[in-house]
Amino acid sequence: MSLVSETHQATPPHGPVVTLPAAPYAHAPTAGGAVPREVLSFRLGAEEYGIDILRVQEIRSYEAPTRIANAPRFVMGVVNLRGVIVPIIDLRLKLGCSSVQYNEFTVVIVLTVLDRVIGIVVDSASDVLEVPPEQVKPAPPLASAIDAGHILGMGCVRQGDTERMLILTDIQALLAGADMGLFDPPQALTA
């Protein structure tokens, strides 16, 4: 289903907001590497990614955040979203995209990860897609120097005569990494 044709759009003072439709069926949020049945597809450069739709709160047009001193390059800063201070992460910078432009297609996907609201900047958001389990293929093995722990698999989605390949991403695993600095490290268990 298309975000433009089946969602309510409003234009608040900070730009357009797309409120996503309710999922037609419920399923458990991604946990322990489970592949979601419905994903929001978005682009980073030439690649198309998919994240669990149940993590997505809304899609907003990009607005320059308030910069935070000494933050990593991919941490763009923070915005005030209806009284909640939300960190904004440029996923293109985090994942090493060669070209990063801010234009009319650039959007912020507002997510809930581990009970925290976080915004990710992407080149564009496109569709909410159903990905049946039989259309998910394992990600190819990569060298141990490459951290691909956030890749759940490759989704092959057919629409008419066209087949799209999505990199299915565990957004929680990606954003909860120690290098992101968004979450406290897990406490050591004591016996």
Side-chain angles (χ1 to χ4, degrees):
M1 73 182 81
S2 170
L3 289 177
V4 175
S5 64
E6 298 194 20
T7 58
H8 170 71
Q9 294 186 14
T11 307
H14 298 293
V17 173
V18 177
T19 303
L20 296 173
Y25 55 89
H27 63 277
T30 302
V35 177
R37 293 224 8 131
E38 283 192 323
V39 297
L40 172 66
S41 66
F42 62 90
R43 286 201 159 302
L44 298 176
E47 287 78 37
E48 193 168 17
Y49 290 77
I51 56 174
D52 188 347
I53 190 64
L54 295 180
R55 298 233 182 255
V56 179
Q57 282 190 8
E58 63 184 272
I59 300 168
R60 302 180 58 81
S61 60
Y62 177 77
E63 63 179 271
T66 301
R67 186 86 175 123
I68 298 175
N70 296 322
R73 182 172 178 242
F74 55 82
V75 178
M76 302 301 296
V78 296
V79 296
N80 184 343
L81 181 61
R82 294 182 293 281
V84 177
I85 302 302
V86 178
I88 303 297
I89 308 300
D90 193 321
L91 217 50
R92 303 167 305 176
L93 295 173
K94 169 64 178 143
L95 296 179
C97 290
S98 59
S99 172
V100 174
Q101 297 178 0
Y102 299 91
N103 57 36
E104 67 274 9
F105 300 110
T106 306
V107 295
V108 175
I109 302 172
V110 180
L111 307 165
T112 302
V113 176
L114 297 173
D115 296 324
R116 184 151 185 212
V117 180
I118 300 170
I120 59 171
V121 179
V122 300
D123 286 321
S124 65
S126 19
D127 301 311
V128 177
L129 301 169
E130 185 173 342
V131 183
E134 63 273 6
Q135 292 180 334
V136 177
K137 308 296 181 212
L142 300 171
S144 61
I146 299 172
D147 179 16
H150 62 275
I151 299 176
L152 297 171
M154 308 301 287
C156 301
V157 180
R158 192 168 221 34
Q159 292 180 314
D161 293 337
T162 307
E163 184 171 275
R164 295 162 62 182
M165 181 155 322
L166 300 174
I167 301 168
L168 300 177
T169 304
D170 182 345
I171 199 69
Q172 178 175 310
L174 181 61
L175 295 179
D179 64 328
M180 298 297 281
L182 296 172
F183 300 95
D184 292 329
Q187 300 298 319
L189 298 175
T190 56

